[in-house]
Amino acid sequence: MNQGRHDTKTFPLKTFGYDGSMVNGLNILPAYIDYFELNTATLGLQTSSIFIGGCLAGLTWGKVTDSLGRRPALFWAALITIIAVVIQTAAQDIAMFVIGRVLIGFGTSASGLSGPTYLAETLPLHWRGWGLGIFNDCYYVGGLIAAGVTYGTFTLDSTWSWRIPSAIQGATSVLCIVILPFIPESPRWLVYQNQNSAAAHVIAQTYADGDHSSPIVITAYKEIVDTINYEKNVGETLSLAQMFKTPVARKRVMLACSAAVFSTIAGNVIASYYLGTMLTNAGITDTTTQLQINVILNAWCLVCSIIGTWSVDVWGRKPTAVACTSALTVFLFIVGALTAVYGNSTSSSGVYGTVAAIFLFQGAYSFGWTPLLYLYPPEVLHYPIRANGMGVFQFVANGVALLIVWTMPIALANIGWKTYMINGAWDVLMVGLIAYYWVETKGKTLEEIDAVLEGTKHSDAPNLEAVYRGTDGVKADMVTEVEEMMDGKRSLVNLLDDFRPSSSPRTLNQPSQRQQPPTSRPQSSPRSSFPSTLDAPTPSSSSSSSSSAVSNNFYNSFSAISDLAKPRENKAAIDAHKVETNHRRQVLDKMSFRRWRVGDLYSPRDLSPGELRRWRGRQRPDVDVFDVVALKPMEHWKNYSMLSEYMTSMGRIRHSKDTGLTNVNQRRISRAIRRAVGMGFMPSVHAHPEMLRRIAARRRL
């Protein structure tokens, strides 16, 4: 379903994969080593400097992605990469080469931050695993190209033997910039920016080829809007501090960072950047043979990673991670043992066995960690912390990689085969941590994953997987509610048909020439604003043309309708028309959803019918609301409406299993209620204001 338009997001990983394989090949080339006069320290510096830029991107690019949008962030990241490639290719000394590589690390890591965020938020449920898996699988596409290029240029007896591979590194960034204008923005980013019409259009295009009435589109749209509105209403912001405010947020970040750490320390860095040293230790010293193995190894890893991408969708994320980590641990121990026994021998069978074990190790790693690395983190991070959380993920991944890549050549030079044994020991710990700590995300939308981590889903829409399979459907009231949010034009056209005389041929898109825009907006309650429901596209038009067809303001549109339909026969008809107009305005007003803000107080009679249904069907909160909104119960002991939520109608204080409060806040709210009762602010036998009003009415009778 329109997946080709998102392929541009794989280009950043082709660049990163190209870099890893290119540096692997360059570290084998004598011309490269002799030109820069590299020793063990400078070799580690030039190889690992890319991760310095990656750390900087992780600290800064999340805010850019949230502020500018996912697509603009990708554009600027690709442009930075192109500039960096030019500097690296033209390098005259170690300092210039390192600066170029730092900038390449910044650009590719910025792309690696924005790209998975975009794909996770835009791809349909059943393509998300494949899309994000292929995103990192393209690491080996770039690696295979780089391996072939370095193998083809190593015979050149000049600096072009390493400058040509370096220059080609910028090609995928150029392609990314060319394709970016033809892909849509993330629908979740659009909803957060209150561009609901454009978001609905993107969801319809990606899920149902533009069919806005599809149950799948309606369910996906409602899940996104409900969840993002909930996150706004509880005060969650797009700040770095938001990642550490609540235990659930901290767990999300830890899960994302665990993927960064585990995938980096698994042992693949040795084969990814120091294959030449690894093969030399195994007994293969010929440069041509090492380059040929580099090409074959990248092709092998690409095949394994594609099979692994299929696995994460069929087996699941957690089982795949446990299986691949267990396998690569065994193979890494075998590599260490064979290197210890046959590293300095002339036994061809021992050397071939070592190379085979290296291939099996890399295949096991590619099977699991290659697709999982950029698939799992954006899934476990929810919208307010997704971009910044991916920034922390990039910072941790690049920081750990910087440490490992910098120290690995020193370890290989000093302790040789023992390096593999040490690496395998902490891989054993990784298997246990993944099995115990990770959560499964297969078959769930980003909003449904909230139920796994927080215990509750913040939308009353059915699960999208169930709608796909036909085991659950979309109820009529939900269709009406979503149509009001997503396709407000349709509702207003129907309303216009009720007002317009039968002889009038005009439509909403053909206003009367005498119609004048209203000069002021009527005063009303906060829920009167209806901006997000009037700019949705129809299936036959683009979001921009649809949103311009009607006004973004409810009352302006309503005034236009009433002006078109106003009878002009006599004063009685005009008065009747005004009464009917006001009545219909009140009906539509009650159907709208308010943008509740932190601290707003209400009782059920203030809610619209849709809000009231949600209020009546509420469940026990899984988080302490006072901790979430940073309120102290004792400071609000005069707040009758708030305290009434924690009392039964017979004056009893509700149990913590019903309130969802922590023990500390449960004691505080109990003291606040007792103080309010003692001071006369609340009756000792409590009833809701609506119940008290009915009791008072009966007494008057």
Side-chain angles (χ1 to χ4, degrees):
M1 295 183 183
N2 300 319
Q3 300 309 309
R5 71 183 67 187
H6 305 304
D7 288 347
T8 182
K9 300 301 167 295
T10 64
F11 292 147
L13 263 292
K14 291 177 186 176
T15 302
F16 207 52
Y18 185 98
D19 180 87
S21 184
M22 180 195 74
V23 172
N24 218 342
L26 295 186
N27 288 340
I28 299 173
L29 291 178
Y32 169 77
I33 296 174
D34 295 341
Y35 181 83
F36 291 107
E37 299 178 355
L38 297 178
N39 53 37
T40 302
T42 54
L43 179 66
L45 173 64
Q46 297 217 146
T47 303
S48 61
S49 55
I50 189 172
F51 300 112
I52 298 174
C55 291
L56 297 175
L59 294 175
T60 58
W61 209 253
K63 189 65 176 178
V64 174
T65 303
D66 275 336
S67 300
L68 299 182
R70 285 31 173 162
R71 286 197 313 164
L74 280 163
F75 168 80
W76 290 110
L79 187 61
I80 291 171
T81 304
I82 293 172
I83 295 171
V85 167
V86 173
I87 296 173
Q88 177 181 268
T89 304
Q92 301 299 311
D93 51 32
I94 292 178
M96 187 173 179
F97 192 85
V98 168
I99 290 172
R101 290 190 56 71
V102 169
L103 290 176
I104 287 176
F106 187 96
T108 53
S109 293
S111 299
L113 186 160
S114 302
T117 302
Y118 173 86
L119 288 173
E121 294 178 353
T122 308
L123 288 174
L125 170 62
H126 287 89
W127 285 101
R128 192 179 70 227
W130 272 102
L132 284 163
I134 291 294
F135 176 85
N136 205 32
D137 293 348
C138 286
Y139 179 98
Y140 293 115
V141 175
L144 188 60
I145 295 171
V149 171
T150 52
Y151 178 72
T153 61
F154 89 99
T155 56
L156 298 178
D157 191 18
S158 67
T159 59
W160 287 108
S161 62
W162 59 268
R163 293 189 193 274
I164 290 175
S166 181
I168 295 175
Q169 188 173 3
T172 53
S173 296
V174 174
L175 290 175
C176 182
I177 290 175
V178 170
I179 296 176
L180 270 174
F182 303 100
I183 63 172
E185 182 55 90
S186 159
R188 289 168 174 84
W189 185 85
L190 292 170
V191 169
Y192 197 88
Q193 302 297 322
N194 298 323
Q195 300 180 32
N196 289 30
S197 64
H201 189 62
V202 173
I203 294 170
Q205 288 294 328
T206 53
Y207 274 96
D209 293 327
D211 182 8
H212 288 65
S213 62
S214 167
I216 297 173
V217 173
I218 292 173
T219 303
Y221 179 83
K222 180 169 173 55
E223 273 191 348
I224 293 171
V225 173
D226 287 351
T227 303
I228 289 181
N229 284 342
Y230 168 83
E231 290 163 352
K232 285 184 176 181
N233 292 339
V234 298
E236 296 194 19
T237 60
L238 306 180
S239 63
L240 288 170
Q242 185 63 47
M243 294 186 291
F244 310 103
K245 277 188 176 180
T246 63
V248 175
R250 292 191 290 271
K251 181 176 181 179
R252 290 178 186 271
V253 175
M254 287 298 294
L255 285 171
C257 291
S258 68
V261 175
F262 294 164
S263 65
T264 306
I265 67 175
N268 65 300
V269 167
I270 307 172
S272 297
Y273 286 91
Y274 300 110
L275 180 63
T277 305
M278 197 176 190
L279 293 174
T280 300
N281 289 340
I284 300 175
T285 57
D286 181 64
T287 301
T288 303
T289 304
Q290 290 182 354
L291 289 171
Q292 290 172 345
I293 291 175
N294 189 25
V295 174
I296 298 170
L297 182 60
N298 276 278
W300 161 250
C301 290
L302 176 61
V303 173
C304 292
S305 64
I306 293 174
I307 297 173
T309 302
W310 168 85
S311 169
V312 296
D313 254 3
V314 176
W315 289 1
R317 283 56 160 160
K318 186 174 178 178
T320 301
V322 171
C324 85
T325 307
S326 301
L328 68 85
T329 302
V330 173
F331 294 137
L332 191 60
F333 281 128
I334 294 174
V335 171
L338 291 174
T339 302
V341 176
Y342 298 105
N344 297 319
S345 72
T346 57
S347 171
S348 59
S349 59
V351 171
Y352 294 150
T354 305
V355 173
I358 293 172
F359 270 70
L360 290 173
F361 167 79
Q362 282 293 93
Y365 178 91
S366 302
F367 176 83
W369 282 113
T370 298
L372 282 171
L373 180 58
Y374 285 96
L375 167 62
Y376 195 68
E379 287 186 331
V380 297
L381 297 168
H382 66 323
Y383 185 85
I385 64 172
R386 185 168 292 125
N388 285 318
M390 287 300 294
V392 173
F393 162 82
Q394 286 286 5
F395 176 80
V396 172
N398 284 277
V400 175
L402 177 63
L403 173 65
I404 298 297
V405 173
W406 184 277
T407 57
M408 199 56 67
I410 300 173
L412 289 172
N414 288 277
I415 60 176
W417 62 271
K418 296 177 183 177
T419 305
Y420 308 124
M421 299 303 184
I422 296 172
N423 205 149
W426 63 55
D427 286 349
V428 175
L429 296 176
M430 284 166 44
V431 175
L433 290 173
I434 294 169
Y436 176 77
Y437 194 63
W438 275 30
V439 298
E440 184 54 65
T441 59
K442 179 178 77 80
K444 298 177 177 62
T445 64
L446 299 180
E447 289 70 34
E448 291 164 8
I449 294 172
D450 289 348
V452 178
L453 290 166
E454 300 179 18
T456 183
K457 179 182 171 184
H458 305 305
S459 173
D460 56 2
N463 286 348
L464 195 60
E465 179 76 15
V467 177
Y468 261 115
R469 297 180 182 277
T471 57
D472 200 350
V474 179
K475 297 180 181 179
D477 58 346
M478 193 180 89
V479 174
T480 303
E481 181 182 341
V482 171
E483 283 182 351
E484 291 165 3
M485 293 189 294
M486 184 171 72
D487 198 7
K489 182 197 298 185
R490 184 184 311 163
S491 300
L492 290 177
V493 169
N494 293 339
L495 182 61
L496 179 63
D497 290 338
D498 293 338
F499 281 136
R500 185 186 298 122
S502 58
S503 60
S504 174
R506 288 191 300 267
T507 65
L508 186 62
N509 292 331
Q510 298 171 336
S512 170
Q513 294 297 324
R514 71 175 188 83
Q515 176 184 339
Q516 299 295 330
T519 57
S520 62
R521 173 176 174 170
Q523 298 295 322
S524 63
S525 65
R527 68 173 179 265
S528 300
S529 176
F530 211 60
S532 62
T533 65
L534 298 175
D535 56 352
T538 61
S540 61
S541 63
S542 66
S543 60
S544 59
S545 60
S546 298
S547 60
S548 62
V550 291
S551 169
N552 284 338
N553 184 285
F554 170 76
Y555 286 105
N556 290 350
S557 298
F558 203 96
S559 299
I561 294 171
S562 62
D563 187 56
L564 280 172
K566 187 182 295 181
R568 294 185 291 275
E569 286 76 15
N570 52 63
K571 187 176 184 302
I574 292 175
D575 292 340
H577 167 71
K578 288 182 178 179
V579 171
E580 183 67 15
T581 298
N582 290 332
H583 171 70
R584 290 183 178 273
R585 182 172 65 184
Q586 293 170 3
V587 171
L588 285 176
D589 188 37
K590 290 180 180 179
M591 294 174 66
S592 66
F593 279 76
R594 276 176 285 189
R595 297 186 181 281
W596 294 103
R597 295 173 298 184
V598 176
D600 284 352
L601 303 175
Y602 63 92
S603 66
R605 67 172 179 271
D606 296 323
L607 303 178
S608 67
E611 290 172 321
L612 186 58
R613 285 195 302 272
R614 190 175 303 171
W615 182 83
R616 286 173 175 168
R618 62 184 177 172
Q619 299 175 349
R620 174 188 178 274
D622 291 285
V623 294
D624 191 319
V625 294
F626 290 107
D627 287 343
V628 171
V629 300
L631 289 178
K632 296 180 179 179
M634 288 299 293
E635 294 180 357
H636 298 273
W637 64 275
K638 296 182 181 179
N639 191 330
Y640 180 88
S641 297
M642 185 183 77
L643 296 185
S644 66
E645 295 292 324
Y646 297 94
M647 293 183 68
T648 67
S649 60
M650 296 306 296
R652 294 182 179 272
I653 300 171
R654 295 185 185 275
H655 195 273
S656 59
K657 68 180 181 181
D658 298 319
T659 63
L661 300 180
T662 61
N663 292 335
V664 173
N665 282 331
Q666 181 70 24
R667 290 193 295 270
R668 289 173 178 171
I669 196 68
S670 300
R671 288 200 297 269
I673 291 172
R674 294 190 187 100
R675 177 181 293 182
V677 172
M679 297 296 292
F681 282 93
M682 297 185 70
S684 57
V685 177
H686 175 73
H688 198 274
E690 186 69 17
M691 299 171 62
L692 295 175
R693 185 186 65 79
R694 293 176 182 174
I695 293 172
R698 287 196 296 268
R699 287 175 178 172
R700 285 195 295 269
L701 295 176

